[in-house]
Amino acid sequence: MKLWIRFFALSLLLASMALPSIVKAEFRLTPSLLVGEEYNDNIYLDAEDEESDFITTINPSLNFFWSTKVVDLNLDWGLRFRYYLKNSEENEDSLDQSQRARLDARFKLMRDVLFLHVSDTYERVTIDESEKGAIGNDLVNLTDSNTLRVNPYLQLEPWRTVTTRLDYIYENIWYDDPEGIDSERHVARLTVSKEISARITGRITGSHTLYRPKSRDERYFDDFDDAQKYDRNDATVGLTYRVTDRLTLDGHYGKAWIEYKDVDDPVLDPGGDRDPRNGDVLDGSLRDFGDQELDLWGINARYQLTEEVSFGGGYNVTTSHTVSEGMIETEGADAFLQYARRNRIALRAHATTSDYLTQERKDDSWGIAVDGDIPWTNRMGFDYQLAYTDYDNEDAIEGDEQYKRYGLRLGFYRDMKLGRFRTGYTYNENVSDDDDNDYTNNIVYVEMRFTF
């Protein structure tokens, strides 16, 4: 069944289950239409022989919200058609190519005890964070992805200050690009929280995870997918301390025990003469890995200075899955500052090290990003986005690379009776120690979003 059909079918099913409480329902239906035109002088982010084009975007969308005693349902669904004047082979004019959707539903199956959370997201995601990328670019290093997540959970309060929650999570991830590792994940998790005082809450969490990748015949090396399969056990203790009404501290420490199931399969030999990207199969192992025991921890703080101003940050060691390269352990610090009143501003900074657990690869990066808007009058103003990132990548297969990436977007908007008009300019630049990866990118755009 096509994914867009599944979205509608699932939405109708969820809506029908809410019918018994329709009398007390809150319902909103908001259709909109975006029509835009842009000129992009380097659609493939090439160092030389840049390919420019005029791109037309037509984006009808629908926001559906329904809240009853039984279910809270929110669906954002749209079709984003893209037409290239000179490179028509890049057109996105089919339902499969153009769909974007986000479904989130929470069922209250038994009052205050039994719940079901279902989400399904179809979106375009970055394949490799360290590869080419740019603000406003819709072609390079991107792929369509669908993530289905089903989470029934039971929540009990055996004592007044103690809460227990038992979760089962099923997750199914699909990528359109052959390099993406499609997967299924099953998680059983138990969390016990204890209110130690009016301001301090402690928690203990234990979980068991089954991660099962799906090999893709189109991948240049299928056994790499199989080597990712693992069973995992986690145990974590945490503490949340509300120091004042404005300041909150949160810390946790845990262990993860990972048992790989197919580590004897050949992966890749970085010392070989053959190139896996040309279809060569190499013997040996890219990294001598087996069962792993990881320390995972974090400390975070948030301070709400006023209703409009908040800031905070933290240091965390955690794990996650990349689109195409397996699991990574990430260690790093981040900080943020948010101001939301008439002039909105959001400032974020990070310094991160990502260690690939099944490969001889490590990525170091640090950067800063800021975005916001400056109202000129009640109906018009300017918005902006600035980003800078410094990368240092060590990769036994692709080779090492260092580069700096800059991004700038400036726009003007005006609110009108039927919606919002926007026009603006975007500039991107990548400066690498490999000249073949240097590029610049200029985009000029104009668009109108109609809201009905």
Side-chain angles (χ1 to χ4, degrees):
M1 182 185 292
K2 297 293 186 183
L3 289 172
W4 65 275
I5 298 177
R6 186 176 71 183
F7 267 108
F8 277 116
L10 184 57
S11 301
L12 291 174
L13 173 63
L14 297 177
S16 66
M17 295 178 67
L19 284 176
S21 57
I22 185 66
V23 175
K24 298 184 178 180
E26 179 184 354
F27 176 82
R28 291 196 304 271
L29 184 65
T30 308
S32 64
L33 172 65
L34 182 143
V35 179
E37 185 70 26
E38 72 177 63
Y39 170 76
N40 188 320
D41 73 347
N42 190 5
I43 62 174
Y44 299 117
L45 302 180
D46 290 329
E48 298 178 352
D49 302 322
E50 296 94 337
E51 185 74 33
S52 63
D53 213 332
F54 289 90
I55 307 167
T56 302
T57 300
I58 302 173
N59 176 203
S61 60
L62 188 69
N63 177 263
F64 176 83
F65 176 78
W66 196 353
S67 179
T68 75
K69 283 187 174 181
V70 177
V71 62
D72 293 323
L73 171 64
N74 199 325
L75 172 65
D76 283 305
W77 181 85
L79 295 171
R80 189 168 181 260
F81 299 106
R82 301 266 287 178
Y83 298 95
Y84 292 75
L85 182 63
K86 296 191 294 184
N87 298 272
S88 57
E89 69 277 5
E90 302 293 354
N91 286 353
E92 299 174 19
D93 52 7
S94 70
L95 293 179
D96 286 349
Q97 293 174 308
S98 59
Q99 179 177 250
R100 299 290 180 269
R102 187 180 303 274
L103 169 69
D104 189 271
R106 184 172 180 265
F107 294 90
K108 306 151 203 174
L109 303 179
M110 187 180 299
R111 185 177 179 182
D112 298 329
V113 175
L114 184 61
F115 303 88
L116 173 63
H117 184 204
V118 179
S119 65
D120 202 338
T121 303
Y122 191 100
E123 61 184 344
R124 183 154 292 183
V125 298
T126 301
I127 297 174
D128 192 327
E129 293 290 345
S130 68
E131 295 294 332
K132 290 182 178 181
I135 297 173
N137 182 275
D138 205 48
L139 286 178
V140 179
N141 192 29
L142 297 169
T143 183
D144 286 347
S145 171
N146 190 81
T147 301
L148 170 66
R149 195 171 189 269
V150 181
N151 174 207
Y153 62 95
L154 181 70
Q155 192 165 285
L156 300 172
E157 294 186 16
W159 298 280
R160 186 176 62 85
T161 60
V162 176
T163 301
T164 62
R165 173 167 165 166
L166 179 63
D167 290 81
Y168 166 72
I169 301 169
Y170 169 75
E171 189 174 69
N172 189 308
I173 300 179
W174 164 88
Y175 299 105
D176 184 50
D177 192 284
E179 291 305 306
I181 304 175
D182 299 348
S183 64
E184 289 185 343
R185 190 167 66 105
H186 303 265
V187 182
R189 183 171 63 209
L190 175 64
T191 302
V192 179
S193 302
K194 164 68 175 170
E195 186 179 310
I196 300 172
S197 70
R199 292 190 177 273
I200 301 176
T201 302
R203 61 190 178 277
I204 301 176
T205 303
S207 65
H208 179 68
T209 301
L210 303 178
Y211 177 80
R212 297 297 183 261
K214 305 174 187 177
S215 292
R216 303 283 295 268
D217 293 337
E218 300 91 338
R219 286 178 61 87
Y220 61 75
F221 206 94
D222 303 328
D223 290 333
F224 178 73
D225 292 348
D226 298 330
Q228 306 294 312
K229 182 167 64 174
Y230 64 78
D231 293 352
R232 171 173 172 167
N233 293 298
D234 286 70
T236 306
V237 295
L239 196 70
T240 300
Y241 178 28
R242 289 187 61 209
V243 183
T244 69
D245 291 341
R246 297 180 183 274
L247 175 62
T248 301
L249 302 177
D250 185 272
H252 68 273
Y253 174 80
K255 302 281 285 188
W257 296 269
I258 303 172
E259 179 186 355
Y260 289 95
K261 312 305 288 185
D262 292 322
V263 294
D264 293 332
D265 288 347
V267 186
L268 297 175
D269 178 8
D273 296 329
R274 291 167 291 177
D275 188 344
R277 290 168 294 177
N278 296 331
D280 297 328
V281 178
L282 310 180
D283 297 326
S285 174
L286 176 64
R287 183 170 187 172
D288 183 16
F289 73 94
D291 296 349
Q292 294 170 333
E293 181 177 318
L294 305 176
D295 294 305
L296 307 176
W297 59 276
I299 180 75
N300 298 276
R302 181 184 181 93
Y303 189 80
Q304 190 76 38
L305 183 62
T306 66
E307 286 189 8
E308 297 85 10
V309 180
S310 63
F311 59 88
Y315 194 95
N316 292 276
V317 180
T318 186
T319 60
S320 61
H321 283 272
T322 62
V323 172
S324 61
E325 306 298 333
M327 186 161 60
I328 59 175
E329 181 182 19
T330 300
E331 179 176 357
D334 65 278
F336 72 90
L337 169 65
Q338 294 179 335
Y339 174 78
R341 200 173 182 181
R342 179 173 173 81
N343 298 334
R344 182 187 63 85
I345 183 172
L347 175 66
R348 297 172 297 279
H350 80 275
T352 305
T353 295
S354 297
D355 187 15
Y356 290 69
L357 297 183
T358 59
Q359 299 182 59
E360 289 292 348
R361 174 176 171 181
K362 185 170 74 170
D363 298 343
D364 290 319
S365 68
W366 68 270
I368 188 169
V370 59
D371 65 86
D373 56 66
I374 304 173
W376 187 6
T377 69
N378 290 334
R379 302 188 64 179
M380 68 175 65
F382 300 92
D383 54 50
Y384 58 90
Q385 179 180 354
L386 298 94
Y388 169 79
T389 310
D390 187 294
Y391 290 94
D392 186 355
N393 303 321
E394 301 175 12
D395 192 329
I397 297 296
E398 300 290 342
D400 299 346
E401 183 182 5
Q402 295 179 329
Y403 55 94
K404 298 175 174 61
R405 184 167 298 164
Y406 308 85
L408 167 67
R409 179 184 58 80
L410 299 173
F412 167 79
Y413 66 85
R414 177 175 173 81
D415 291 328
M416 308 173 75
K417 244 183 182 181
L418 289 178
R420 171 170 285 192
F421 169 82
R422 294 182 71 247
T423 184
Y425 166 74
T426 303
Y427 175 77
N428 297 286
E429 182 177 4
N430 196 76
V431 181
S432 171
D433 59 2
D434 181 353
D435 293 343
D436 291 338
N437 289 332
D438 286 349
Y439 58 83
T440 60
N441 180 216
N442 295 273
I443 303 172
V444 179
Y445 64 90
V446 59
E447 65 184 32
M448 179 68 195
R449 179 176 294 277
F450 300 92
T451 303
F452 305 100

